[in-house]
Amino acid sequence: MTISTYAERIVILTGAGLSAESGLGTFRDKDGLWTRYDLNEVATPEGFARNPVLVHEFYNARRANCLDARPNAAHDALARLQHSRPSHVTLITQNVDDLLERAGAPAVIHMHGQLTRALCAACGYRWNAPRAMDHAAPCPACNAPATRPDIVWFGEMPYHMERIDTALQAADLFVAIGTSGNVYPAAGFVQEAAAHGAQTLELNLEPSATVSLFDAARFGRASRIVADWVAEILGAPPPR
Ligand code: OAD
């Protein structure tokens, strides 16, 4: 199926593949984070309750990597696209890095939280994360020694789901970029958007687990295929 280059409302979902060429590891590829770490120990509320020091070490290392990383051509292209039509391009990311913002994207929805934010497990207050976070550091609001990364762990509810559902239901085009399609609810967005009439496109290095649900797919490195796709969209005249 040919995907129209003109779409009024575009909803984009990004995953770890978007930031791979910036040097941030993916999760499920060869050498991915979940081949080296047990996600039950570092990415669940139960793991955090068992060993908060280990969990903070894991996210402190990821925060340090993120601070050292730079946006790549795919982040730049998506930021340019959102800038061109701020009210018609919704950028949803599963990534906890801030590379889209640093590329200049004006409004990124972080459904899995952000490495740059801290969350008090006692009162829910949020603040800017220090470079190295410590479980015993007191919350600035309630003073409880219950600091955790503001990251959505397995078994927790992703953020901003109402806003995301509204955008998916209004979308003319849904595009998933650099995500393996293994983690729900994000992996189900393609079906939700399609059920409401959107065309759907996957841009990925390799076919995802859900590739058969998309109308079309293009494969290659994000820095090339995302930049090419954005150039097509920005060059497209509106239909007569
Ligand atoms: P995965 O590691 O599961 O998938 C990464 C995807 O990126 C794969 O489909 C790769 O083929 C693709 N990829 C790798 N390098 C690429 C490149 N240079 N250009 C384009 N694509 C490339 O990561 P996610 O799907 O993002 O959640 O994982 C989803 C969630 O699982 C994450 O947000 C995280 C994880 O557990 C939490 O921690 C809650």
PDB file of all heavy atoms in Angstrom, residues 14-18 20-21 26-29 34 39 43 59 94-95 112 151-154 178-183 203-206 208 220-223, ligand 1:
ATOM      1  N   THR A  14       7.996   6.750  19.042  1.00  0.00           N
ATOM      2  CA  THR A  14       9.404   6.366  18.886  1.00  0.00           C
ATOM      3  C   THR A  14       9.825   5.391  19.987  1.00  0.00           C
ATOM      4  O   THR A  14       9.266   5.364  21.083  1.00  0.00           O
ATOM      5  CB  THR A  14      10.344   7.590  18.886  1.00  0.00           C
ATOM      6  OG1 THR A  14      10.391   8.157  20.191  1.00  0.00           O
ATOM      7  CG2 THR A  14       9.902   8.645  17.890  1.00  0.00           C
ATOM      8  N   GLY A  15      10.873   4.601  19.647  1.00  0.00           N
ATOM      9  CA  GLY A  15      11.440   3.652  20.596  1.00  0.00           C
ATOM     10  C   GLY A  15      12.958   3.754  20.586  1.00  0.00           C
ATOM     11  O   GLY A  15      13.547   4.667  19.961  1.00  0.00           O
ATOM     12  N   ALA A  16      13.592   2.816  21.246  1.00  0.00           N
ATOM     13  CA  ALA A  16      15.036   2.890  21.487  1.00  0.00           C
ATOM     14  C   ALA A  16      15.865   2.979  20.204  1.00  0.00           C
ATOM     15  O   ALA A  16      16.959   3.546  20.203  1.00  0.00           O
ATOM     16  CB  ALA A  16      15.472   1.679  22.305  1.00  0.00           C
ATOM     17  N   GLY A  17      15.338   2.444  19.083  1.00  0.00           N
ATOM     18  CA  GLY A  17      16.071   2.505  17.822  1.00  0.00           C
ATOM     19  C   GLY A  17      16.340   3.932  17.368  1.00  0.00           C
ATOM     20  O   GLY A  17      17.310   4.191  16.658  1.00  0.00           O
ATOM     21  N   LEU A  18      15.495   4.872  17.788  1.00  0.00           N
ATOM     22  CA  LEU A  18      15.696   6.279  17.403  1.00  0.00           C
ATOM     23  C   LEU A  18      17.007   6.814  17.976  1.00  0.00           C
ATOM     24  O   LEU A  18      17.678   7.622  17.338  1.00  0.00           O
ATOM     25  CB  LEU A  18      14.520   7.131  17.906  1.00  0.00           C
ATOM     26  CG  LEU A  18      14.599   8.622  17.583  1.00  0.00           C
ATOM     27  CD1 LEU A  18      14.383   8.857  16.080  1.00  0.00           C
ATOM     28  CD2 LEU A  18      13.589   9.423  18.387  1.00  0.00           C
ATOM     29  N   ALA A  20      19.599   4.860  19.024  1.00  0.00           N
ATOM     30  CA  ALA A  20      20.710   3.898  18.944  1.00  0.00           C
ATOM     31  C   ALA A  20      21.957   4.532  18.339  1.00  0.00           C
ATOM     32  O   ALA A  20      23.077   4.320  18.818  1.00  0.00           O
ATOM     33  CB  ALA A  20      20.276   2.675  18.131  1.00  0.00           C
ATOM     34  N   GLU A  21      21.765   5.337  17.285  1.00  0.00           N
ATOM     35  CA  GLU A  21      22.939   5.936  16.624  1.00  0.00           C
ATOM     36  C   GLU A  21      23.502   7.124  17.397  1.00  0.00           C
ATOM     37  O   GLU A  21      24.534   7.668  17.015  1.00  0.00           O
ATOM     38  CB  GLU A  21      22.567   6.346  15.197  1.00  0.00           C
ATOM     39  CG  GLU A  21      22.340   5.135  14.305  1.00  0.00           C
ATOM     40  CD  GLU A  21      21.591   5.509  13.046  1.00  0.00           C
ATOM     41  OE1 GLU A  21      22.210   6.052  12.131  1.00  0.00           O
ATOM     42  OE2 GLU A  21      20.370   5.263  13.000  1.00  0.00           O
ATOM     43  N   THR A  26      19.854  -0.119  22.841  1.00  0.00           N
ATOM     44  CA  THR A  26      18.463  -0.563  22.815  1.00  0.00           C
ATOM     45  C   THR A  26      18.295  -1.629  23.900  1.00  0.00           C
ATOM     46  O   THR A  26      19.231  -1.931  24.644  1.00  0.00           O
ATOM     47  CB  THR A  26      18.087  -1.109  21.424  1.00  0.00           C
ATOM     48  OG1 THR A  26      18.923  -2.232  21.149  1.00  0.00           O
ATOM     49  CG2 THR A  26      18.268  -0.052  20.340  1.00  0.00           C
ATOM     50  N   PHE A  27      17.091  -2.208  23.973  1.00  0.00           N
ATOM     51  CA  PHE A  27      16.808  -3.173  25.049  1.00  0.00           C
ATOM     52  C   PHE A  27      16.930  -4.618  24.590  1.00  0.00           C
ATOM     53  O   PHE A  27      17.482  -5.456  25.282  1.00  0.00           O
ATOM     54  CB  PHE A  27      15.392  -2.942  25.607  1.00  0.00           C
ATOM     55  CG  PHE A  27      15.254  -1.609  26.274  1.00  0.00           C
ATOM     56  CD1 PHE A  27      14.758  -0.522  25.589  1.00  0.00           C
ATOM     57  CD2 PHE A  27      15.670  -1.433  27.581  1.00  0.00           C
ATOM     58  CE1 PHE A  27      14.668   0.720  26.189  1.00  0.00           C
ATOM     59  CE2 PHE A  27      15.589  -0.200  28.193  1.00  0.00           C
ATOM     60  CZ  PHE A  27      15.081   0.882  27.494  1.00  0.00           C
ATOM     61  N   ARG A  28      16.390  -4.918  23.390  1.00  0.00           N
ATOM     62  CA  ARG A  28      16.231  -6.324  22.997  1.00  0.00           C
ATOM     63  C   ARG A  28      17.115  -6.747  21.845  1.00  0.00           C
ATOM     64  O   ARG A  28      17.055  -7.897  21.422  1.00  0.00           O
ATOM     65  CB  ARG A  28      14.748  -6.601  22.666  1.00  0.00           C
ATOM     66  CG  ARG A  28      13.883  -6.435  23.879  1.00  0.00           C
ATOM     67  CD  ARG A  28      12.400  -6.569  23.634  1.00  0.00           C
ATOM     68  NE  ARG A  28      11.699  -6.307  24.884  1.00  0.00           N
ATOM     69  CZ  ARG A  28      11.499  -5.092  25.367  1.00  0.00           C
ATOM     70  NH1 ARG A  28      11.896  -4.017  24.718  1.00  0.00           N
ATOM     71  NH2 ARG A  28      10.885  -4.933  26.543  1.00  0.00           N
ATOM     72  N   ASP A  29      17.908  -5.819  21.280  1.00  0.00           N
ATOM     73  CA  ASP A  29      18.835  -6.229  20.221  1.00  0.00           C
ATOM     74  C   ASP A  29      19.977  -7.030  20.851  1.00  0.00           C
ATOM     75  O   ASP A  29      20.118  -7.071  22.084  1.00  0.00           O
ATOM     76  CB  ASP A  29      19.394  -4.990  19.509  1.00  0.00           C
ATOM     77  CG  ASP A  29      18.315  -4.272  18.700  1.00  0.00           C
ATOM     78  OD1 ASP A  29      17.598  -4.962  17.945  1.00  0.00           O
ATOM     79  OD2 ASP A  29      18.177  -3.046  18.835  1.00  0.00           O
ATOM     80  N   TRP A  34      18.537  -5.490  28.077  1.00  0.00           N
ATOM     81  CA  TRP A  34      17.879  -6.634  28.756  1.00  0.00           C
ATOM     82  C   TRP A  34      18.592  -7.962  28.492  1.00  0.00           C
ATOM     83  O   TRP A  34      18.177  -8.998  28.986  1.00  0.00           O
ATOM     84  CB  TRP A  34      16.403  -6.727  28.379  1.00  0.00           C
ATOM     85  CG  TRP A  34      15.537  -5.572  28.803  1.00  0.00           C
ATOM     86  CD1 TRP A  34      14.358  -5.214  28.215  1.00  0.00           C
ATOM     87  CD2 TRP A  34      15.711  -4.665  29.908  1.00  0.00           C
ATOM     88  NE1 TRP A  34      13.809  -4.122  28.858  1.00  0.00           N
ATOM     89  CE2 TRP A  34      14.619  -3.764  29.892  1.00  0.00           C
ATOM     90  CE3 TRP A  34      16.684  -4.486  30.899  1.00  0.00           C
ATOM     91  CZ2 TRP A  34      14.467  -2.719  30.823  1.00  0.00           C
ATOM     92  CZ3 TRP A  34      16.552  -3.442  31.817  1.00  0.00           C
ATOM     93  CH2 TRP A  34      15.457  -2.596  31.775  1.00  0.00           C
ATOM     94  N   LEU A  39      15.572  -7.419  33.930  1.00  0.00           N
ATOM     95  CA  LEU A  39      14.600  -6.317  34.050  1.00  0.00           C
ATOM     96  C   LEU A  39      13.768  -6.430  35.317  1.00  0.00           C
ATOM     97  O   LEU A  39      13.318  -5.417  35.865  1.00  0.00           O
ATOM     98  CB  LEU A  39      13.750  -6.181  32.779  1.00  0.00           C
ATOM     99  CG  LEU A  39      12.665  -7.180  32.414  1.00  0.00           C
ATOM    100  CD1 LEU A  39      11.364  -6.889  33.138  1.00  0.00           C
ATOM    101  CD2 LEU A  39      12.417  -7.104  30.912  1.00  0.00           C
ATOM    102  N   ALA A  43      13.828  -2.849  36.732  1.00  0.00           N
ATOM    103  CA  ALA A  43      12.755  -2.088  36.087  1.00  0.00           C
ATOM    104  C   ALA A  43      11.373  -2.524  36.567  1.00  0.00           C
ATOM    105  O   ALA A  43      10.412  -2.560  35.787  1.00  0.00           O
ATOM    106  CB  ALA A  43      12.864  -2.208  34.567  1.00  0.00           C
ATOM    107  N   TYR A  59      20.094   3.333  36.751  1.00  0.00           N
ATOM    108  CA  TYR A  59      19.583   4.554  36.107  1.00  0.00           C
ATOM    109  C   TYR A  59      20.592   5.697  36.168  1.00  0.00           C
ATOM    110  O   TYR A  59      20.613   6.545  35.264  1.00  0.00           O
ATOM    111  CB  TYR A  59      18.218   4.950  36.693  1.00  0.00           C
ATOM    112  CG  TYR A  59      17.142   4.010  36.203  1.00  0.00           C
ATOM    113  CD1 TYR A  59      16.656   2.987  37.006  1.00  0.00           C
ATOM    114  CD2 TYR A  59      16.668   4.094  34.892  1.00  0.00           C
ATOM    115  CE1 TYR A  59      15.709   2.084  36.536  1.00  0.00           C
ATOM    116  CE2 TYR A  59      15.734   3.194  34.410  1.00  0.00           C
ATOM    117  CZ  TYR A  59      15.255   2.196  35.239  1.00  0.00           C
ATOM    118  OH  TYR A  59      14.333   1.298  34.750  1.00  0.00           O
ATOM    119  N   GLN A  94       8.696   6.294  23.867  1.00  0.00           N
ATOM    120  CA  GLN A  94       8.897   5.352  24.976  1.00  0.00           C
ATOM    121  C   GLN A  94      10.270   5.593  25.588  1.00  0.00           C
ATOM    122  O   GLN A  94      10.601   5.007  26.614  1.00  0.00           O
ATOM    123  CB  GLN A  94       8.844   3.907  24.465  1.00  0.00           C
ATOM    124  CG  GLN A  94       7.520   3.528  23.832  1.00  0.00           C
ATOM    125  CD  GLN A  94       7.651   2.222  23.050  1.00  0.00           C
ATOM    126  OE1 GLN A  94       7.456   1.144  23.598  1.00  0.00           O
ATOM    127  NE2 GLN A  94       7.975   2.305  21.777  1.00  0.00           N
ATOM    128  N   ASN A  95      11.075   6.432  24.930  1.00  0.00           N
ATOM    129  CA  ASN A  95      12.448   6.651  25.391  1.00  0.00           C
ATOM    130  C   ASN A  95      12.477   7.573  26.603  1.00  0.00           C
ATOM    131  O   ASN A  95      11.718   8.539  26.664  1.00  0.00           O
ATOM    132  CB  ASN A  95      13.305   7.235  24.271  1.00  0.00           C
ATOM    133  CG  ASN A  95      13.410   6.295  23.090  1.00  0.00           C
ATOM    134  OD1 ASN A  95      13.059   5.117  23.205  1.00  0.00           O
ATOM    135  ND2 ASN A  95      13.867   6.792  21.961  1.00  0.00           N
ATOM    136  N   HIS A 112       6.943   6.698  29.086  1.00  0.00           N
ATOM    137  CA  HIS A 112       7.662   5.853  30.055  1.00  0.00           C
ATOM    138  C   HIS A 112       8.520   6.678  31.020  1.00  0.00           C
ATOM    139  O   HIS A 112       9.414   6.132  31.654  1.00  0.00           O
ATOM    140  CB  HIS A 112       8.540   4.831  29.315  1.00  0.00           C
ATOM    141  CG  HIS A 112       7.746   3.732  28.666  1.00  0.00           C
ATOM    142  ND1 HIS A 112       8.300   2.819  27.791  1.00  0.00           N
ATOM    143  CD2 HIS A 112       6.431   3.394  28.774  1.00  0.00           C
ATOM    144  CE1 HIS A 112       7.360   1.973  27.378  1.00  0.00           C
ATOM    145  NE2 HIS A 112       6.222   2.302  27.960  1.00  0.00           N
ATOM    146  N   ILE A 151      10.571   7.054  36.183  1.00  0.00           N
ATOM    147  CA  ILE A 151      10.537   6.104  35.069  1.00  0.00           C
ATOM    148  C   ILE A 151       9.359   5.164  35.322  1.00  0.00           C
ATOM    149  O   ILE A 151       9.151   4.740  36.471  1.00  0.00           O
ATOM    150  CB  ILE A 151      11.838   5.244  35.057  1.00  0.00           C
ATOM    151  CG1 ILE A 151      13.095   6.111  34.961  1.00  0.00           C
ATOM    152  CG2 ILE A 151      11.779   4.172  33.963  1.00  0.00           C
ATOM    153  CD1 ILE A 151      13.390   6.700  33.636  1.00  0.00           C
ATOM    154  N   VAL A 152       8.619   4.848  34.254  1.00  0.00           N
ATOM    155  CA  VAL A 152       7.508   3.893  34.390  1.00  0.00           C
ATOM    156  C   VAL A 152       8.093   2.491  34.324  1.00  0.00           C
ATOM    157  O   VAL A 152       8.705   2.114  33.322  1.00  0.00           O
ATOM    158  CB  VAL A 152       6.475   4.102  33.257  1.00  0.00           C
ATOM    159  CG1 VAL A 152       5.381   3.051  33.333  1.00  0.00           C
ATOM    160  CG2 VAL A 152       5.881   5.511  33.333  1.00  0.00           C
ATOM    161  N   TRP A 153       7.907   1.735  35.400  1.00  0.00           N
ATOM    162  CA  TRP A 153       8.443   0.377  35.432  1.00  0.00           C
ATOM    163  C   TRP A 153       7.394  -0.632  35.003  1.00  0.00           C
ATOM    164  O   TRP A 153       6.189  -0.320  34.951  1.00  0.00           O
ATOM    165  CB  TRP A 153       8.934   0.063  36.855  1.00  0.00           C
ATOM    166  CG  TRP A 153      10.219   0.770  37.201  1.00  0.00           C
ATOM    167  CD1 TRP A 153      11.255   1.035  36.356  1.00  0.00           C
ATOM    168  CD2 TRP A 153      10.594   1.302  38.472  1.00  0.00           C
ATOM    169  NE1 TRP A 153      12.257   1.692  37.033  1.00  0.00           N
ATOM    170  CE2 TRP A 153      11.890   1.865  38.322  1.00  0.00           C
ATOM    171  CE3 TRP A 153       9.982   1.351  39.724  1.00  0.00           C
ATOM    172  CZ2 TRP A 153      12.568   2.464  39.373  1.00  0.00           C
ATOM    173  CZ3 TRP A 153      10.656   1.954  40.772  1.00  0.00           C
ATOM    174  CH2 TRP A 153      11.940   2.497  40.596  1.00  0.00           C
ATOM    175  N   PHE A 154       7.832  -1.852  34.704  1.00  0.00           N
ATOM    176  CA  PHE A 154       6.893  -2.919  34.338  1.00  0.00           C
ATOM    177  C   PHE A 154       5.908  -3.112  35.490  1.00  0.00           C
ATOM    178  O   PHE A 154       6.303  -3.150  36.655  1.00  0.00           O
ATOM    179  CB  PHE A 154       7.643  -4.210  34.005  1.00  0.00           C
ATOM    180  CG  PHE A 154       8.346  -4.107  32.681  1.00  0.00           C
ATOM    181  CD1 PHE A 154       9.643  -3.636  32.602  1.00  0.00           C
ATOM    182  CD2 PHE A 154       7.676  -4.417  31.500  1.00  0.00           C
ATOM    183  CE1 PHE A 154      10.279  -3.499  31.370  1.00  0.00           C
ATOM    184  CE2 PHE A 154       8.300  -4.275  30.260  1.00  0.00           C
ATOM    185  CZ  PHE A 154       9.597  -3.819  30.209  1.00  0.00           C
ATOM    186  N   GLY A 178      11.638   2.732  15.195  1.00  0.00           N
ATOM    187  CA  GLY A 178      12.667   2.146  16.061  1.00  0.00           C
ATOM    188  C   GLY A 178      12.139   1.509  17.329  1.00  0.00           C
ATOM    189  O   GLY A 178      12.754   1.627  18.377  1.00  0.00           O
ATOM    190  N   THR A 179      11.023   0.806  17.206  1.00  0.00           N
ATOM    191  CA  THR A 179      10.492   0.092  18.375  1.00  0.00           C
ATOM    192  C   THR A 179      10.172  -1.344  17.971  1.00  0.00           C
ATOM    193  O   THR A 179       9.678  -1.581  16.856  1.00  0.00           O
ATOM    194  CB  THR A 179       9.270   0.812  18.991  1.00  0.00           C
ATOM    195  OG1 THR A 179       8.779   0.043  20.097  1.00  0.00           O
ATOM    196  CG2 THR A 179       8.154   1.046  17.991  1.00  0.00           C
ATOM    197  N   SER A 180      10.453  -2.299  18.882  1.00  0.00           N
ATOM    198  CA  SER A 180      10.348  -3.717  18.522  1.00  0.00           C
ATOM    199  C   SER A 180       8.927  -4.263  18.612  1.00  0.00           C
ATOM    200  O   SER A 180       8.678  -5.400  18.237  1.00  0.00           O
ATOM    201  CB  SER A 180      11.275  -4.548  19.419  1.00  0.00           C
ATOM    202  OG  SER A 180      10.833  -4.462  20.758  1.00  0.00           O
ATOM    203  N   GLY A 181       7.990  -3.471  19.162  1.00  0.00           N
ATOM    204  CA  GLY A 181       6.596  -3.915  19.230  1.00  0.00           C
ATOM    205  C   GLY A 181       6.368  -5.020  20.248  1.00  0.00           C
ATOM    206  O   GLY A 181       5.453  -5.830  20.117  1.00  0.00           O
ATOM    207  N   ASN A 182       7.179  -5.024  21.302  1.00  0.00           N
ATOM    208  CA  ASN A 182       7.040  -6.063  22.332  1.00  0.00           C
ATOM    209  C   ASN A 182       6.366  -5.572  23.604  1.00  0.00           C
ATOM    210  O   ASN A 182       6.000  -6.388  24.454  1.00  0.00           O
ATOM    211  CB  ASN A 182       8.432  -6.598  22.709  1.00  0.00           C
ATOM    212  CG  ASN A 182       8.938  -7.603  21.710  1.00  0.00           C
ATOM    213  OD1 ASN A 182       8.327  -8.652  21.548  1.00  0.00           O
ATOM    214  ND2 ASN A 182      10.013  -7.271  21.020  1.00  0.00           N
ATOM    215  N   VAL A 183       6.277  -4.255  23.779  1.00  0.00           N
ATOM    216  CA  VAL A 183       5.787  -3.735  25.070  1.00  0.00           C
ATOM    217  C   VAL A 183       4.467  -2.995  24.873  1.00  0.00           C
ATOM    218  O   VAL A 183       4.372  -2.060  24.070  1.00  0.00           O
ATOM    219  CB  VAL A 183       6.853  -2.810  25.709  1.00  0.00           C
ATOM    220  CG1 VAL A 183       6.327  -2.182  26.986  1.00  0.00           C
ATOM    221  CG2 VAL A 183       8.127  -3.601  26.017  1.00  0.00           C
ATOM    222  N   LEU A 203       8.857   2.478  10.499  1.00  0.00           N
ATOM    223  CA  LEU A 203      10.231   2.804  10.095  1.00  0.00           C
ATOM    224  C   LEU A 203      11.140   2.152  11.122  1.00  0.00           C
ATOM    225  O   LEU A 203      11.101   2.500  12.305  1.00  0.00           O
ATOM    226  CB  LEU A 203      10.456   4.329  10.091  1.00  0.00           C
ATOM    227  CG  LEU A 203       9.549   5.170   9.197  1.00  0.00           C
ATOM    228  CD1 LEU A 203       9.870   6.660   9.358  1.00  0.00           C
ATOM    229  CD2 LEU A 203       9.685   4.761   7.731  1.00  0.00           C
ATOM    230  N   ASN A 204      11.933   1.181  10.689  1.00  0.00           N
ATOM    231  CA  ASN A 204      12.692   0.399  11.669  1.00  0.00           C
ATOM    232  C   ASN A 204      13.925  -0.214  11.002  1.00  0.00           C
ATOM    233  O   ASN A 204      14.000  -0.298   9.776  1.00  0.00           O
ATOM    234  CB  ASN A 204      11.788  -0.713  12.230  1.00  0.00           C
ATOM    235  CG  ASN A 204      12.126  -1.099  13.651  1.00  0.00           C
ATOM    236  OD1 ASN A 204      13.077  -0.571  14.237  1.00  0.00           O
ATOM    237  ND2 ASN A 204      11.374  -2.018  14.217  1.00  0.00           N
ATOM    238  N   LEU A 205      14.865  -0.628  11.817  1.00  0.00           N
ATOM    239  CA  LEU A 205      16.040  -1.300  11.262  1.00  0.00           C
ATOM    240  C   LEU A 205      15.646  -2.652  10.683  1.00  0.00           C
ATOM    241  O   LEU A 205      16.075  -3.044   9.604  1.00  0.00           O
ATOM    242  CB  LEU A 205      17.096  -1.464  12.348  1.00  0.00           C
ATOM    243  CG  LEU A 205      18.462  -1.957  11.905  1.00  0.00           C
ATOM    244  CD1 LEU A 205      19.090  -0.983  10.906  1.00  0.00           C
ATOM    245  CD2 LEU A 205      19.392  -2.119  13.103  1.00  0.00           C
ATOM    246  N   GLU A 206      14.798  -3.366  11.451  1.00  0.00           N
ATOM    247  CA  GLU A 206      14.325  -4.694  11.044  1.00  0.00           C
ATOM    248  C   GLU A 206      12.830  -4.768  11.333  1.00  0.00           C
ATOM    249  O   GLU A 206      12.348  -3.995  12.159  1.00  0.00           O
ATOM    250  CB  GLU A 206      15.033  -5.773  11.866  1.00  0.00           C
ATOM    251  CG  GLU A 206      16.500  -5.880  11.530  1.00  0.00           C
ATOM    252  CD  GLU A 206      17.263  -6.735  12.516  1.00  0.00           C
ATOM    253  OE1 GLU A 206      16.678  -7.131  13.550  1.00  0.00           O
ATOM    254  OE2 GLU A 206      18.435  -6.996  12.235  1.00  0.00           O
ATOM    255  N   SER A 208       9.457  -5.286  13.049  1.00  0.00           N
ATOM    256  CA  SER A 208       9.095  -5.459  14.460  1.00  0.00           C
ATOM    257  C   SER A 208       8.169  -6.668  14.599  1.00  0.00           C
ATOM    258  O   SER A 208       7.734  -7.253  13.599  1.00  0.00           O
ATOM    259  CB  SER A 208       8.368  -4.213  14.958  1.00  0.00           C
ATOM    260  OG  SER A 208       7.070  -4.171  14.374  1.00  0.00           O
ATOM    261  N   GLY A 220      15.844   0.364   7.627  1.00  0.00           N
ATOM    262  CA  GLY A 220      17.171   0.970   7.516  1.00  0.00           C
ATOM    263  C   GLY A 220      17.471   1.709   8.816  1.00  0.00           C
ATOM    264  O   GLY A 220      16.683   1.663   9.771  1.00  0.00           O
ATOM    265  N   ARG A 221      18.605   2.366   8.844  1.00  0.00           N
ATOM    266  CA  ARG A 221      18.970   3.127  10.043  1.00  0.00           C
ATOM    267  C   ARG A 221      18.077   4.361  10.164  1.00  0.00           C
ATOM    268  O   ARG A 221      17.814   5.029   9.160  1.00  0.00           O
ATOM    269  CB  ARG A 221      20.423   3.578   9.966  1.00  0.00           C
ATOM    270  CG  ARG A 221      21.396   2.434  10.110  1.00  0.00           C
ATOM    271  CD  ARG A 221      22.822   2.927   9.973  1.00  0.00           C
ATOM    272  NE  ARG A 221      23.739   1.824  10.137  1.00  0.00           N
ATOM    273  CZ  ARG A 221      24.165   1.389  11.325  1.00  0.00           C
ATOM    274  NH1 ARG A 221      23.775   1.984  12.419  1.00  0.00           N
ATOM    275  NH2 ARG A 221      24.989   0.366  11.398  1.00  0.00           N
ATOM    276  N   ALA A 222      17.705   4.679  11.412  1.00  0.00           N
ATOM    277  CA  ALA A 222      16.795   5.806  11.633  1.00  0.00           C
ATOM    278  C   ALA A 222      17.355   7.100  11.066  1.00  0.00           C
ATOM    279  O   ALA A 222      16.617   7.906  10.489  1.00  0.00           O
ATOM    280  CB  ALA A 222      16.513   5.953  13.128  1.00  0.00           C
ATOM    281  N   SER A 223      18.666   7.312  11.205  1.00  0.00           N
ATOM    282  CA  SER A 223      19.246   8.580  10.746  1.00  0.00           C
ATOM    283  C   SER A 223      19.000   8.804   9.255  1.00  0.00           C
ATOM    284  O   SER A 223      18.920   9.940   8.809  1.00  0.00           O
ATOM    285  CB  SER A 223      20.742   8.613  11.036  1.00  0.00           C
ATOM    286  OG  SER A 223      21.368   7.529  10.389  1.00  0.00           O
TER     287      SER A 223
HETATM  288  P1  OAD B   1      13.717  -2.507  21.815  1.00  0.00           P
HETATM  289  O1  OAD B   1      15.129  -2.659  22.239  1.00  0.00           O
HETATM  290  O2  OAD B   1      12.753  -3.560  22.200  1.00  0.00           O
HETATM  291  O3  OAD B   1      13.661  -2.370  20.219  1.00  0.00           O
HETATM  292  C1  OAD B   1      14.535  -1.516  19.526  1.00  0.00           C
HETATM  293  C2  OAD B   1      14.117  -1.470  18.064  1.00  0.00           C
HETATM  294  O4  OAD B   1      14.958  -0.521  17.404  1.00  0.00           O
HETATM  295  C3  OAD B   1      14.268  -2.796  17.330  1.00  0.00           C
HETATM  296  O5  OAD B   1      13.109  -3.002  16.516  1.00  0.00           O
HETATM  297  C4  OAD B   1      15.499  -2.580  16.431  1.00  0.00           C
HETATM  298  O6  OAD B   1      15.440  -3.286  15.202  1.00  0.00           O
HETATM  299  C5  OAD B   1      15.417  -1.089  16.194  1.00  0.00           C
HETATM  300  N1  OAD B   1      16.717  -0.423  15.902  1.00  0.00           N
HETATM  301  C6  OAD B   1      17.948  -0.693  16.390  1.00  0.00           C
HETATM  302  N2  OAD B   1      18.864   0.160  15.892  1.00  0.00           N
HETATM  303  C7  OAD B   1      18.190   0.990  15.039  1.00  0.00           C
HETATM  304  C8  OAD B   1      18.562   2.084  14.191  1.00  0.00           C
HETATM  305  N3  OAD B   1      19.828   2.516  14.112  1.00  0.00           N
HETATM  306  N4  OAD B   1      17.598   2.685  13.456  1.00  0.00           N
HETATM  307  C9  OAD B   1      16.304   2.262  13.529  1.00  0.00           C
HETATM  308  N5  OAD B   1      15.881   1.248  14.298  1.00  0.00           N
HETATM  309  C10 OAD B   1      16.812   0.615  15.049  1.00  0.00           C
HETATM  310  O7  OAD B   1      13.242  -1.045  22.303  1.00  0.00           O
HETATM  311  P2  OAD B   1      11.758  -0.470  22.463  1.00  0.00           P
HETATM  312  O8  OAD B   1      10.833  -1.082  21.476  1.00  0.00           O
HETATM  313  O9  OAD B   1      11.874   0.996  22.492  1.00  0.00           O
HETATM  314  O10 OAD B   1      10.475   0.235  28.696  1.00  0.00           O
HETATM  315  O11 OAD B   1      11.386  -0.988  23.904  1.00  0.00           O
HETATM  316  C11 OAD B   1      10.144  -0.633  24.465  1.00  0.00           C
HETATM  317  C12 OAD B   1      10.261  -0.545  25.955  1.00  0.00           C
HETATM  318  O12 OAD B   1      10.843  -1.752  26.463  1.00  0.00           O
HETATM  319  C13 OAD B   1      11.215   0.538  26.458  1.00  0.00           C
HETATM  320  O13 OAD B   1      10.614   1.815  26.514  1.00  0.00           O
HETATM  321  C14 OAD B   1      11.590   0.052  27.818  1.00  0.00           C
HETATM  322  C15 OAD B   1      11.821  -1.410  27.485  1.00  0.00           C
HETATM  323  O14 OAD B   1      11.678  -2.299  28.501  1.00  0.00           O
HETATM  324  C16 OAD B   1      10.695   0.402  30.015  1.00  0.00           C
HETATM  325  O15 OAD B   1      11.810   0.398  30.522  1.00  0.00           O
HETATM  326  C17 OAD B   1       9.429   0.586  30.793  1.00  0.00           C
END
